[in-house]
Amino acid sequence: MAVYTLPKVALIDKFLPKSTIFQQAWMKHTARDEFSKYVQRITWKYKLAESTIRIKKWTKTEEIQIFEVILKEKILSKKIFNIIDKIVPYPILYECRYNDHVAYVILYNKEYYSTNRDEEIKFDLTWTNLDSVYKNIVSKFITDEYIETEEWFEELIDWKHKKEALENEIEKLKSKIKKEIQMKDKVPLNMELQKKKLELEKLLSHKYHK
């Protein structure tokens, strides 16, 4: 669970009615039904802006919002977050609660990042500008280390994509090997699998360069 060290002026604590979201998003009835199926309540908890936390806004990031989402089910549906992200012009850190369990979700560069439920995570909200705050929030979904430069952050994102690509290739190879009947056809697949496993092992041992 995350702990936010923020001044009182950053606290909004405002309930956001689903009807307001439906109207602004111009949602069809099927989308509304799905939204209502998963979401019980949304609260705008905090506003991170120059006026509230005295950290300079940036061309790319003028504000960051923190929303609390009370879920009806365990599922973290990207469709739900996408609907809200389309009508709110600022990055949103979602604190998703289901019973006593908490997970976090955020959108960066058209890709959603999420934590495991009840994963211990500490967001640093005290950087020199709001763009740095946003990128360091995103980085916490990948590593516990602080991202000090733009280049470092981009390397971390690239590392994550390479890791996921290798993991997908490994799973596909495992599936092919399992289905293959002929031993002569299994051998090259096993060789390729071992190669990809070694690549992943090497990648995991060298996350990124500072």
Side-chain angles (χ1 to χ4, degrees):
M1 185 182 297
V3 177
Y4 311 114
T5 305
L6 292 166
K8 287 184 179 180
V9 69
L11 180 64
I12 304 297
D13 208 23
K14 180 180 179 182
F15 168 64
L16 298 177
K18 292 179 193 177
S19 57
T20 301
I21 294 170
F22 295 162
Q23 288 170 5
Q24 292 188 26
W26 294 91
M27 295 168 64
K28 294 181 179 180
H29 288 295
T30 51
R32 292 185 184 189
D33 291 343
E34 184 172 3
F35 195 97
S36 296
K37 176 184 176 182
Y38 293 116
V39 177
Q40 181 175 321
R41 181 184 179 93
I42 300 173
T43 305
W44 179 11
K45 295 297 291 186
Y46 295 98
K47 173 183 174 180
L48 280 57
E50 194 168 354
S51 60
T52 61
I53 60 173
R54 296 184 179 179
I55 294 178
K56 291 188 296 182
K57 64 181 180 181
W58 211 245
T59 308
K60 296 178 182 178
T61 311
E62 295 185 359
E63 292 183 10
I64 301 168
Q65 315 301 336
I66 299 177
F67 283 11
E68 179 189 65
V69 182
I70 307 299
L71 298 170
K72 293 180 179 178
E73 298 187 22
K74 289 182 180 180
I75 299 171
L76 295 173
S77 173
K78 291 179 182 178
K79 290 181 181 179
I80 301 306
F81 306 118
N82 188 243
I83 288 166
I84 303 171
D85 283 317
K86 282 182 178 178
I87 62 174
V88 177
Y90 307 112
I92 303 170
L93 173 62
Y94 295 97
E95 182 180 293
C96 306
R97 296 182 173 275
Y98 175 73
N99 294 337
D100 295 327
H101 304 288
V102 182
Y104 296 87
V105 175
I106 198 166
L107 176 67
Y108 177 77
N109 198 20
K110 298 180 180 180
E111 181 179 1
Y112 280 100
Y113 293 73
S114 60
T115 66
N116 296 320
R117 282 181 177 79
D118 303 324
E119 183 178 336
E120 288 293 331
I121 187 165
K122 185 176 181 181
F123 297 114
D124 188 345
L125 310 176
T126 59
W127 288 80
T128 54
N129 62 68
L130 286 170
D131 193 50
S132 295
V133 172
Y134 177 34
K135 287 176 178 175
N136 270 278
I137 289 173
V138 174
S139 74
K140 291 299 177 182
F141 287 78
I142 309 170
T143 178
D144 289 332
E145 297 184 43
Y146 292 123
I147 306 305
E148 298 173 356
T149 65
E150 177 78 22
E151 292 76 16
W152 189 9
F153 176 75
E154 293 303 330
E155 283 188 19
L156 179 63
I157 299 298
D158 184 56
W159 176 88
K160 176 182 178 291
H161 291 156
K162 287 178 179 177
K163 171 179 169 288
E164 290 174 343
L166 280 170
E167 287 172 341
N168 287 335
E169 287 181 56
I170 288 169
E171 289 306 311
K172 286 179 182 178
L173 283 166
K174 285 181 178 178
S175 179
K176 284 183 179 180
I177 291 168
K178 191 175 181 179
K179 292 176 182 177
E180 189 57 62
I181 299 172
Q182 298 294 327
M183 181 58 68
K184 65 181 179 65
D185 295 321
K186 280 191 175 187
V187 171
L189 289 172
N190 268 308
M191 290 175 66
E192 183 65 17
L193 176 61
Q194 294 309 311
K195 179 185 173 183
K196 293 299 178 183
K197 282 183 175 181
L198 285 172
E199 286 182 30
L200 180 59
E201 187 179 332
K202 185 177 179 181
L203 186 70
L204 292 173
S205 63
H206 299 87
K207 279 190 177 181
Y208 44 84
H209 297 92
K210 294 185 180 181

